[in-house]
């Protein structure tokens, strides 16, 4: 599975968009980009995933560059409850083995 | 629909003692996983199962055993606990894309 690189931490003002970057330059053609988050001491929560097209759901948007070497998770209107560690993971669908890095600590501030 | 549940929530063991952590899911998922998370780190896969009666080793399997006798349950056993196994243990299940995580078991080995 490809390795990902994320900034260790980011701050965002409440109500503003939070843009979390992820580099995955060694991603292969059949690997998906997944995003999970972990709110303090809880189990990780699935957010969104994509292969090469941009994706949007009720929680977030995922923008994947055309060469698929990087992606950005966008929380359009961050709230204090979005403060969490965000993990970007790439793996093959049905490969079923998530490899978690250290993630990005997002702090949403009022 | 309870999702993924874990018992117990907390446990303190003495070195050399044994215990079993229970994970149960009511979503009829084929795949189940056990992870551990140490302070400041991402989750690491201990063992996983791709269906009833099957188990496989993950990234950090030493010192642990697992069993999947029923589709809805995945047991993690520590035969002889060591202080290095002090951690938070998360169970997860999935059918295809996203993994659903339980609330975690906080284990301390003294």
């Amino acid at each position: 599975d490809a390795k990902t690189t994320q900034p260790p931490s980011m701050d965002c003002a409440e109500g503003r968009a939070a843009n979390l970057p992820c580099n995955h330059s060694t991603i292969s053609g059949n690997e998906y980009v997944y995003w999970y988050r972990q709110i303090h001491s809880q189990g990780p929560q699935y957010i969104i995933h994509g292969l090469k097209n941009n994706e949007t759901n009720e929680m977030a948007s995922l923008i994947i560059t055309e060469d698929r070497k990087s992606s950005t998770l966008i929380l359009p209107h961050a709230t204090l409850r979005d403060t969490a560690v965000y993990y970007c993971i790439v793996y093959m669908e049905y490969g079923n083995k998530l490899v978690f890095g250290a993630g990005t600590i997002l702090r949403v501030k009022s | 629909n309870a999702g993924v549940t874990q018992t117990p929530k907390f446990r303190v063991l003495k070195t050399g003692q044994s215990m079993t952590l229970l994970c149960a899911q009511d979503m009829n998922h084929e795949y189940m996983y056990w992870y551990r998370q140490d302070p400041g780190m991402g989750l690491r896969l201990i063992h996983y199962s791709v269906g009833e009666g099957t188990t496989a080793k993950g990234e950090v399997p030493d010192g642990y055993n697992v069993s999947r006798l029923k589709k809805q349950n995945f047991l993690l056993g520590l035969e002889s606990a060591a202080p290095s196994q002090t951690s938070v243990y998360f169970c997860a299940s999935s059918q295809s894309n996203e993994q659903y995580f339980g609330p975690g078991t906080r284990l301390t080995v003294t």
Side-chain angles (χ1 to χ4, degrees), chain B residues 5-26:
Chain B
T5 58
Q6 294 182 231
T7 52
K9 289 185 170 54
F10 302 94
R11 185 73 186 268
V12 178
L13 286 180
K14 289 186 165 48
T15 298
Q17 287 185 319
S18 63
M19 78 163 295
T20 300
L21 283 67
L22 170 64
C23 175
Q25 52 97 2
D26 60 3

Side-chain angles (χ1 to χ4, degrees), chain B residues 4 14 25 27 42 44 60 69 71 75 77 80 93 98 102 109:
Chain B
V4 179
K14 289 186 165 48
Q25 52 97 2
M27 297 172 283
R44 292 184 292 169
V60 288
L69 298 179
K71 187 176 185 179
L75 305 179
S80 180
S93 72
E98 56 185 280
V109 183

Side-chain angles (χ1 to χ4, degrees), chain B residues 2 7 11 20 45 50 64 70 76 80 86 88 90-91 98 108:
Chain B
T7 52
R11 185 73 186 268
T20 300
L45 183 65
V50 299
Y64 306 94
K70 293 183 179 180
L76 177 71
S80 180
T86 293
V88 180
F90 289 101
C91 174
E98 56 185 280
T108 302

Side-chain angles (χ1 to χ4, degrees), chain A residues 35-37 45-49 57 59-60 73 75 86:
Chain A
W35 283 85
Y36 283 76
R37 73 179 182 184
Q45 176 191 24
Y46 166 83
I47 302 173
I48 198 167
H49 76 283
N57 62 22
M59 288 183 69
L73 177 75
L75 307 178
Y86 287 77

